[in-house]
Amino acid sequence: MKRRRGGSPESGCLRAWAAESRALAGRWQAARCSGPGGAAAREVRRRRGGFGELLLRMRGLPPALPALPLELTVLYNSLLFATGASDSAIQGEAEGIRQGLLRVLEACGACGQGLSTEELWQKVLQEVTAEELQAPLHRLGALQAAWWLAASRLGSAAGLFRLLSNAEDPERAHCSEGENELLYLLKAWRVPAEAASLPLVQSAEDLKEILCTAAAFLQGLQELEAGNFPTALSLLQEAAGGFCSKKVLAQIYTCLGCCAQRMGKPQTALQHLKRALQVDFQCLPALSHVAAVYHELGETEAELQALALLYEALEKKTPAAASSGPYFLIRTELLVHTPILASLLRHRHPSEVKYLLAQRCLRDGRVADAVEHYLDFLALLQEGLQQQVPLDGGSALPRIPEVFLEAASALEQAGRHQDAITVCEEVISRTTDLIPRMLRVEERLEQPECPSPGAGLAGGLLSQKKESLCCLAWRAAGYLHQGWAWAKLGESKEAVTQFSRCLGDLLRVQLYGSSVEPTESLLPEVEVLQKIRLLSLIGRGAQFLELGRHKEALLDFQHGLQILPGDPAAASYLVQALWKLNRKQEAAAHWQKFSQSPAGEDGQQEEQGRPFPLYLVSCLKQATFPHGASLARSIRDYLGTTSRDPSS
């Protein structure tokens, strides 16, 4: 006999299904409270199929109103297990909710085929008035909202809870102006009572609390990304007071710290980040942000301590602590996984932290520590670092040749000149085949008003030329460092050879374009090459002076001043070369002109424009003229003599 639509299945079947549902829920409740989270997670995988198989048997019969409360409860439990077993809110599982809603409409003599999920919910909540279906539908609605939150569809979730609130009390469906609507609707939603005959594997009350926390967290992250920091701070503070694990709470405090840092409140940021570490000492991104805040404050000692702790923690690779509380199938962390959160909670590779330690020590003049860290980093590189570290935009690592050059700079400053020469040789040998014989480059930045049809191809060629310029800069810098290292070893002839190789490499570049534009419009790569050329000319000129080749030295210093007129080091060396050539009147004239410049007699000059690469800093220091005071004294004595005796 055909069953009438809306008719009841055999009461025996219904009792058997209800008993099976209670047994499954009972075994799960016992398992989730009996041990740590790991044991409960294993139980999820074992129990997942039970509710799924029961649901399939129930759906083997046409939908009937008497069986629907049980069927919707089994669907709710089944979807919870599916989510818990996968550790993510699976969008595909939402189809199970859709099928449940269609069966509800079919049992009530209506049809929902062709409707979107939002339209389907609206039709069900407006047309299905059976009292016994309200609680199961509300619980299923909360589960649907969880899926929408996980997909960042906050508007859909708010619309659904507006419908749920309208169904109960239209007056509560409207929030006051300035209040967060989604949070208002979630808090206003009245959780349906749980019937003893229809046990749940996760209560709707717990689900509501998790939804409130996730909604505040998600919206806080959205506002943080949009730059609306006060609103973000308020929402993240709301989330911090919500229902979540210690791990998620630490993540929320980390985000609060980042928000405060962006608001220009570093001390408040440190308070939030330290709270994150107090809640979960394994929240290493918080420690990484602590180091960044100390760096911003200029507190190098505290920054280095934080980086050292971070490196030690990353090296230990402590396994995640098992949760001691009850296990929840839907948890806040399953619903919040946005790109900005992944960026803020990015875990650094140990090698990145080791590099940061090296770099910060070198910048702060802690040469011995810098050398130790750079050598550790180079050892990691030999172990296959390139396969371990994503060299993306979020990585702290510069290009590898630059790290080698920074290491050489640290070794030079530590007096380990031969080691510096060896490290530079590695850079030179590896970049040799990457540089074309001749490179013709527009020295200025082009800013076309509108892209031409060939802009893509032109951009590709420019990118390729920039890469060649980088390789050339690294190779030339290698020769530059070797030149200064040989000079420090007292090998002036070998130093001259290396400086000459550097200058010879730079002749491969043919620059074209106007030279009357401001320095800021120079390509950064071209500006670096010009600085390397200047430093190499000064270095070679200084060694020519040591060798008594004063005319050749004078030419180098003159060429240096053509590259950067008024450079204090080149100008001072030029005066010395003229003095040694017994062209004292010229030397005095140049010295007087130079003394009146902003650099003054001390030969110091603030670097203008873009900061130069860290690997050039030691060369800049070595190029400083060392005999400024004695040269000035000699010239003053000479000027004093000539003023008393004009004929001399």
Side-chain angles (χ1 to χ4, degrees), residues 224-246:
L224 178 58
E225 189 170 25
N228 301 323
F229 301 131
T231 306
L233 200 68
S234 174
L235 287 163
L236 290 170
Q237 286 170 337
E238 174 91 21
F243 189 75
C244 60
S245 64
K246 286 185 176 181

Side-chain angles (χ1 to χ4, degrees), residues 245-254 272-287 318-322 345 347:
S245 64
K246 286 185 176 181
K247 178 182 176 181
V248 173
L249 182 57
Q251 293 177 355
I252 295 171
Y253 277 120
T254 301
H272 288 307
L273 294 168
K274 288 177 180 178
R275 183 67 192 277
L277 291 165
Q278 289 169 357
V279 171
D280 179 10
F281 70 94
Q282 293 184 22
C283 186
L284 299 185
L287 192 52
T318 308
L345 300 180
H347 279 265

Side-chain angles (χ1 to χ4, degrees), residues 25-41 43-44 81 200-203 206 323-329:
R27 286 196 290 271
W28 162 247
Q29 293 296 351
R32 73 184 282 266
C33 297
S34 63
E43 187 67 20
V44 170
F81 268 106
L200 308 173
V201 294
Q202 183 170 331
S203 73
D206 287 342
S323 173
S324 57
Y327 185 87
F328 293 99
L329 294 165

Side-chain angles (χ1 to χ4, degrees), residues 45 78 106 137 172 270 308 341 344 357 369 375 495 531 547 577 625:
R45 289 186 281 274
S78 175
E106 185 181 347
L137 283 172
R172 290 191 299 114
L270 286 173
L341 182 62
L344 294 174
L357 280 165
D369 291 337
L375 293 180
K531 195 66 176 182
L547 294 167
F625 184 66

